[in-house]
Amino acid sequence: MSTQTTTAQTTTAQTVSPQAVPQQTATEQTGARTDEAAALIGDSRERIDALDDRIIGLIQERMAVSAVIQEARISSGGRRVNLAREMEVLGHYRDALGKPGTALAMTMLELCRGRI
């Protein structure tokens, strides 16, 4: 092993050393001012992370179902996208979530269309 390689490995080890990164307390990580609030925030963040994982899984499932629909539509001579159906979906999200729901639905529809 050359001296340059050893020096590079030592430098890399020093930059990722746990001692180089000060540990934050729970209150610092959450922005809370009390340990009780920090614990509540930490627990709630774990729940949000689990919900996000479920939402991502549902969107991936929706993408797969959408691909089946698109394939059936195309193979029967139809168009890949049904704009009337997309308008229904946009309205459903808008009615349930307000104006931001429309933006969310647009993003989801874009993901589910795949590459056009």
Side-chain angles (χ1 to χ4, degrees):
M1 189 178 293
S2 73
T3 305
Q4 289 176 332
T5 304
T6 305
T7 304
Q9 288 173 341
T10 304
T11 304
T12 302
Q14 290 170 351
T15 58
V16 294
S17 169
Q19 293 92 359
V21 180
Q23 294 294 323
Q24 290 184 322
T25 66
T27 53
E28 290 172 331
Q29 290 173 345
T30 62
R33 299 202 177 217
T34 65
D35 290 338
E36 294 79 20
L40 176 66
I41 292 168
D43 292 344
S44 296
R45 284 181 176 173
E46 286 180 19
R47 185 165 179 217
I48 285 174
D49 290 344
L51 289 167
D52 285 343
D53 288 342
R54 288 173 46 199
I55 291 167
I56 290 167
L58 289 170
I59 290 171
Q60 290 170 330
E61 183 178 349
R62 191 188 193 287
M63 290 168 65
V65 172
S66 182
V68 169
I69 292 169
Q70 290 175 43
E71 180 61 35
R73 192 179 298 122
I74 292 167
S75 66
S76 70
R79 301 184 80 174
R80 180 177 187 174
V81 176
N82 181 333
L83 295 178
R85 173 62 180 152
E86 288 196 357
M87 294 306 294
E88 289 177 21
V89 172
L90 290 169
H92 181 69
Y93 274 71
R94 183 190 61 246
D95 292 346
L97 302 172
K99 187 176 178 181
T102 303
L104 177 62
M106 285 297 297
T107 300
M108 184 202 49
L109 289 169
E110 185 178 339
L111 284 168
C112 291
R113 281 186 208 124
R115 300 189 132 232
I116 296 181

